């Protein structure tokens, strides 16, 4: 049986992961409207990954006989005008999600819930990758985004990304 605080935090994180998916769909929509389909593709895939993260946590709670309570998903609250705005907002959001995962991890450690800390290890690593990817996108945009040919190449690179489901075994 999971510690009640840990269970509540994971349950809340499910909603936050779905919010992340919704936020990234807003970013994809922004780029699609600008004609940058590669950037849109990147964020559509990010949205799918966030949905997967939510479902992994959903399944983890069910596997541990915990009740899942689904809450309303908030409307993304971001103002996007420049091409770098979603990239900057994405990095800030990933740093926020990292802090949330760390909070759950710390609660699991405090409760001596080793099974949950082991489950969360994958998410800790994933968040490191997410922050690196977000930083890399910002760097590339700063280097190449002001040049139309560079922006075209970057958009093409992001358009080549394909979705791969996570390989976490519960």
């Amino acid at each position: 049986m999971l510690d009640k605080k840990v269970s509540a935090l994971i349950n809340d994180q499910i909603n936050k992961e779905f919010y992340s998916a919704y936020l990234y769909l807003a970013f994809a929509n922004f780029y699609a409207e600008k004609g940058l389909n590669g950037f849109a593709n990147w964020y559509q895939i990010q949205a799918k990954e966030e949905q997967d993260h939510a479902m992994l946590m959903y399944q983890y709670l069910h596997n541990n006989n915990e009740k899942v309570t689904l809450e309303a998903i908030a409307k993304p609250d971001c103002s996007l005008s420049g091409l770098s705005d979603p990239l900057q907002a994405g990095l800030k959001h990933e740093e926020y999600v990292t802090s949330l995962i760390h909070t759950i991890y710390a609660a699991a450690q405090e409760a001596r819930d080793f099974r949950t800390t082991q489950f969360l290890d994958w998410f800790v690593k994933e968040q490191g990758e997410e922050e690196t990817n977000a930083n890399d996108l910002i760097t590339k945009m700063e280097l190449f985004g002001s040049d139309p040919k560079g922006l075209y190449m970057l958009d093409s690179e992001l358009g080549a990304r394909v979705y791969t489901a996570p390989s976490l075994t519960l």
Side-chain angles (χ1 to χ4, degrees):
M1 181 167 251
L2 293 182
D3 177 80
K4 292 300 176 197
K5 179 180 179 183
V6 172
S7 179
L9 287 169
I10 293 172
N11 198 82
D12 188 49
Q13 188 63 30
I14 292 169
N15 179 269
K16 288 181 171 44
E17 296 293 335
F18 281 125
Y19 172 81
S20 296
Y22 205 43
L23 178 66
Y24 290 150
L25 283 177
F27 293 174
N29 188 51
F30 171 81
Y31 283 121
E33 290 174 354
K34 302 288 186 195
L36 293 169
N37 295 327
F39 281 84
N41 176 66
W42 176 270
Y43 279 109
Q44 288 169 358
I45 291 172
Q46 284 299 108
K48 289 178 187 175
E49 286 186 0
E50 301 305 336
Q51 291 171 344
D52 286 345
H53 297 168
M55 293 307 297
L56 287 168
M57 291 181 184
Y58 170 92
Q59 191 60 53
Y60 183 76
L61 289 180
H62 276 285
N63 288 353
N64 285 279
N65 297 315
E66 293 292 324
K67 181 179 178 182
V68 173
T69 304
L70 300 175
E71 300 292 340
I73 301 170
K75 178 180 178 181
D77 183 26
C78 57
S79 176
L80 307 173
S81 57
L83 295 180
S84 292
D85 290 351
L87 305 178
Q88 296 291 340
L91 174 59
K92 185 177 176 182
H93 184 73
E94 288 299 341
E95 291 170 341
Y96 169 67
V97 171
T98 296
S99 74
L100 297 171
I101 298 297
H102 288 177
T103 297
I104 302 168
Y105 199 97
Q109 282 184 319
E110 185 179 315
R112 300 187 49 82
D113 182 350
F114 304 115
R115 180 176 23 183
T116 300
T117 57
Q118 184 179 30
F119 169 71
L120 292 170
D121 283 341
W122 182 87
F123 289 94
V124 171
K125 181 177 180 261
E126 175 71 7
Q127 282 309 121
E129 292 171 7
E130 296 291 2
E131 287 184 27
T132 297
N133 289 339
N135 271 312
D136 288 350
L137 280 176
I138 291 168
T139 299
K140 288 178 180 181
M141 181 61 95
E142 289 171 350
L143 289 171
F144 310 116
S146 61
D147 173 53
K149 290 178 186 174
L151 183 59
Y152 174 80
M153 295 288 289
L154 183 53
D155 190 57
S156 296
E157 176 186 325
L158 298 179
R161 182 181 186 200
V162 295
Y163 173 74
T164 54
S167 59
L168 177 63
T169 305
L170 298 179

